[in-house]
Amino acid sequence: MPLQELELSIDDLTVPSQLQPLLAEASRRVADFSQKRPDPRSGFVPCGFETVARALQLIQVQQLATGRSFCEWGSGFGVVASVAALMGFDAMGIEIDEQLIEQARQLADDFSVPVDFFQGSFVPPGGEYVAERANGDFFWLESDSDDTYEELGLGPDDFDLIFAYPWPEEETVIDVLFEKFAAHGALLLTYSQFDSVRLRRKISSRSMVDG
């Protein structure tokens, strides 16, 4: 199932004012957390929250998603999932690091955000061989723990929009996992280290030819 590139013109958008307190506090907490735990091997690098928030705003305004179900793969502090929830998505995040899960839940609780976070790997059963392709020691791609999706009661194909911030060596893994396990018509939103976002839709080969 190929991924169809969708244009995202977000430069002229501004982040809704109601999101500003959450984003400001999240940035403060992330900076404090990173200072106390500066280990680069932790794998935690925050994305540009405002950039992703503008992308989510555009997706919502243009009704690009086929539904409201949202999942953040590797949710960290859960900021993106929280923003999605405040924009009307049924949002959740999956994160393997217990400390980050605690931070995400605390942030969401403090701002009364209706979002759920689950500890574990976002790599679904059957995706182990894909995760092994990553050229690096990415412990968050481990998939030999308990099945997170069983705890969710959902599978990757139940989400209309999935967000991820992959490391460069991890990008192909995210793409292949999404192509293999996401639902037809689902959206994949990714963030890059250059403060840019990319949006793609899973479509069939026939749809790409006909479109």
Side-chain angles (χ1 to χ4, degrees), residues 1-4 179 201-206 208:
M1 291 285 185
L3 300 184
Q4 179 187 39
E179 287 184 33
R201 187 187 302 278
K202 180 176 175 178
I203 63 172
S204 67
S205 300
R206 181 177 179 82
M208 176 171 284

Side-chain angles (χ1 to χ4, degrees), residues 147-177:
D147 181 5
T148 309
Y149 294 97
E150 183 177 354
E151 182 182 354
L152 268 66
L154 298 169
D157 58 347
D158 288 309
F159 298 109
D160 305 299
L161 172 58
I162 291 176
F163 170 77
Y165 176 17
W167 288 55
E169 299 87 351
E170 188 191 3
E171 289 178 348
T172 300
V173 172
I174 296 297
D175 290 355
V176 175
L177 286 174

Side-chain angles (χ1 to χ4, degrees), residues 17-32:
S17 58
Q18 63 266 30
L19 296 179
Q20 292 292 354
L22 169 69
L23 297 182
E25 179 60 16
S27 295
R28 187 194 69 78
R29 294 188 189 187
V30 166
D32 183 61

Side-chain angles (χ1 to χ4, degrees), residues 96 120-121 142-148:
I96 203 167
S121 172
E142 294 176 0
S143 53
D144 56 356
S145 58
D146 293 339
D147 181 5
T148 309

Side-chain angles (χ1 to χ4, degrees), residues 4 32 35 56 59 88 110 115-116 123 126 129-130 138 147 155 167 175 177-178 180 189 196 204:
Q4 179 187 39
D32 183 61
Q35 185 176 20
L56 289 174
I59 291 170
D110 289 346
V115 58
D116 294 315
V123 179
Y129 78 95
V130 178
F138 301 127
D147 181 5
W167 288 55
D175 290 355
L177 286 174
F178 184 81
K180 181 175 177 60
L189 177 66
S196 62
S204 67

